[in-house]
Each structure stands twice: as C-alpha cells, then as structure tokens.
C-alpha cells in the first residue's frame, strides 16, 4: 500500500482506539506535495465515519514552522497524523515536552524511519507506525531465496528489496502464464486474474480489474520509546 492506503489504515486504526473516542486530530503533511493530496481525506473518512470531527490540516514548508506549543497547549489535540519529513519531529517533540501535552502520534514508516523511537517518554504507548510489509511477511524459503540472489552483498533489514523481488516474481509468474504470445493486453488480463499469489516476500498478492494494489492491507505497529524498538506482533488493517 502506498501513502494513501497507509493514511486510510492509520485513520481506521485510530478510530478503533477506545482512548481516542471522538478526539480532535491534526494531519501534518508536506506543503505542495501532490502525492499527499489524498492523505487528509484518507485519514478523515474513517474518523468522521466513527463520529470524529474532520481533522485539521497543517502544511509544513522549509520556510514555515507551526507554533506547536500553541497547537498542543491545553491538550485539546489528542491525535496527530504525521505525513511530513522526519526532521520536523524534533521541534514537535520539544513543544510537546514544553506544553506537557502528548497526543497520540501516527506516521508511515517510509517517511519517518526510526525518528519515532527518539520521542520523549511522555509519548509512551501513544506512537504507532504503518508499514506496507514487515520482515515477518517473508517466509523461510523467501529469506533463502533473497540471500541466494544477493550473493555476498549485505542485505539491509528493510522492505525495499523484499518488495522489489515480490514485484519481479509477480511479473515472472505472469509471463510464464502468457507463453510465447507476449503483449501488454495479455499481461494486463493475466494480472487482473492473479489471486492470492504468495511471493514468499510480502503478504499474498491479488489483482482484479478494479484492484490495482496487490496486498490490500497495512501493518500498524506500536513504538516502544524506552527500548527504542517496534512492539510486535503488528496489527493488520485490511483496506478492502
């Protein structure tokens, strides 16, 4: 799932947390980023459906830093969805500590990396991160396959290579089904009928004429701010 899918998953996850019943929320996003245009709507729909007010949007730019202390003062904002650069979190953390207000914080791992793990102690139990895939999605056979393909190279513990290999295996499987008559139209037809294909690297992949994202779901994981690590197992949030 891309950022739009992860925004929806985080919205759905937050809406189910009993501690955040109808809470006031902020969506923090990069300014003038077309890829993030759908993020606020993706987050807002499940929240509004659950009885929340529509989240307020805060757009960050290189020349603009919000007055976080004013925004957080009084504890009215209970949930913050962070879809901006990770380095902006430092100022946010300082403001939270100064105001004594620690809202729940939700963010996609692809944007914030390990920055969530450096949050102040006041955020304990309140930080959640989304991932399209986790190492636990990889089977033992898949791990062996990736190591064999990499040879002597060092494989980082990240999702990019697993997702790349998964995409390559989906393409190879489709080409095998096509046989000698290779065409774009035939490839699309085969992909649109691919169901629950296990790449051994990511969650099973399914495509249909109306479904263009293979794995329709997102992992949401808590962050242990004391141990600076993920809290596993994750919660799988389906999007279909």
């Amino acid at each position: 799932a891309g950022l739009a899918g992860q925004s929806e998953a985080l919205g759905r996850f937050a809406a189910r947390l009993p501690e955040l019943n109808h809470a006031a929320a902020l969506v923090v996003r990069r300014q003038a980023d077309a890829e993030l245009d759908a993020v606020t709507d993706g987050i807002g729909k499940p929240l509004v459906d659950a009885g929340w007010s529509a989240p307020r949007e805060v757009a960050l730019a290189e020349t603009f830093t919000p007055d976080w202390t004013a925004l957080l003062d009084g504890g009215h904002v209970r949930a913050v969805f962070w879809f901006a650069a990770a380095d902006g979190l430092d100022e946010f953390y300082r403001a939270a500590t100064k105001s004594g207000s620690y809202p729940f914080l939700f963010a996609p791992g692809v944007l914030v990396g390990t920055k969530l793990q450096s949050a102040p102690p006041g955020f304990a139990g309140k930080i959640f991160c989304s991932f399209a895939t986790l190492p636990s999605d990889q089977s033992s056979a898949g791990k062996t396959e990736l190591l064999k393909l990499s040879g002597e190279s060092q494989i980082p513990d990240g999702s990019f290579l697993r997702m790349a290999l998964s995409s390559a295996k989906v393409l190879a499987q489709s080409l095998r089904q096509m046989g000698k008559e290779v065409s774009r139209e035939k490839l699309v037809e085969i992909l649109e009928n691919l169901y629950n294909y296990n790449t051994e690297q990511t969650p099973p992949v399914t495509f249909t004429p109306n479904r263009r994202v293979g794995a329709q779901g997102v992992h949401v994981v808590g962050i242990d701010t004391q141990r600076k690590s993920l809290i596993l197992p994750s919660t799988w949030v389906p999007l279909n």
Side-chain angles (χ1 to χ4, degrees), residues 170-192 194:
V170 167
L171 178 59
Q173 171 70 6
S174 302
L175 290 174
R176 280 193 293 269
Q177 294 184 40
M178 289 177 66
K180 295 181 179 180
E181 298 182 6
V182 179
S183 68
R184 180 182 181 277
E185 292 74 17
K186 184 66 175 177
L187 177 60
V188 170
E189 179 184 348
I190 290 173
L191 285 171
E192 288 180 346
L194 191 68

Side-chain angles (χ1 to χ4, degrees), residues 32-204:
D33 189 333
E35 186 182 5
L36 297 179
D37 285 346
V39 162
T40 303
D41 289 340
I43 295 169
K45 187 178 186 308
L47 296 182
V48 172
D49 288 346
W52 295 37
S53 298
R56 177 181 173 185
E57 186 175 278
V58 177
L60 298 188
E62 292 183 4
T63 58
F64 171 71
T65 300
D67 185 349
W68 291 120
T69 302
L71 285 171
L72 297 177
D73 191 36
H76 300 299
V77 173
R78 300 278 311 287
V80 173
F81 297 84
W82 193 278
F83 280 75
D87 54 9
L89 283 166
D90 289 328
E91 186 66 30
F92 175 77
Y93 290 156
R94 285 192 288 270
T97 301
K98 182 178 180 180
S99 66
S101 177
Y102 299 95
F104 279 72
L105 180 59
F106 307 89
V110 70
L111 289 182
V112 297
T114 60
K115 197 70 172 179
L116 293 181
Q117 298 175 16
S118 63
F123 282 100
K126 294 184 174 183
I127 300 183
F128 297 90
C129 195
S130 63
F131 296 92
T133 180
L134 288 173
S136 57
D137 294 326
Q138 188 184 45
S139 69
S140 58
K143 185 175 182 178
T144 300
E145 179 184 33
L146 187 58
L147 289 172
K148 183 178 179 180
L149 289 171
S150 66
E152 299 298 323
S153 302
Q154 296 293 320
I155 299 295
D157 185 18
S159 63
F160 178 77
L161 289 179
R162 295 194 305 275
M163 294 178 70
L165 179 54
S166 178
S167 299
K169 293 184 72 172
V170 167
L171 178 59
Q173 171 70 6
S174 302
L175 290 174
R176 280 193 293 269
Q177 294 184 40
M178 289 177 66
K180 295 181 179 180
E181 298 182 6
V182 179
S183 68
R184 180 182 181 277
E185 292 74 17
K186 184 66 175 177
L187 177 60
V188 170
E189 179 184 348
I190 290 173
L191 285 171
E192 288 180 346
N193 288 278
L194 191 68
Y195 178 73
N196 213 33
Y197 178 63
N198 187 5
T199 68
E200 308 287 351
Q201 303 293 334
T202 63

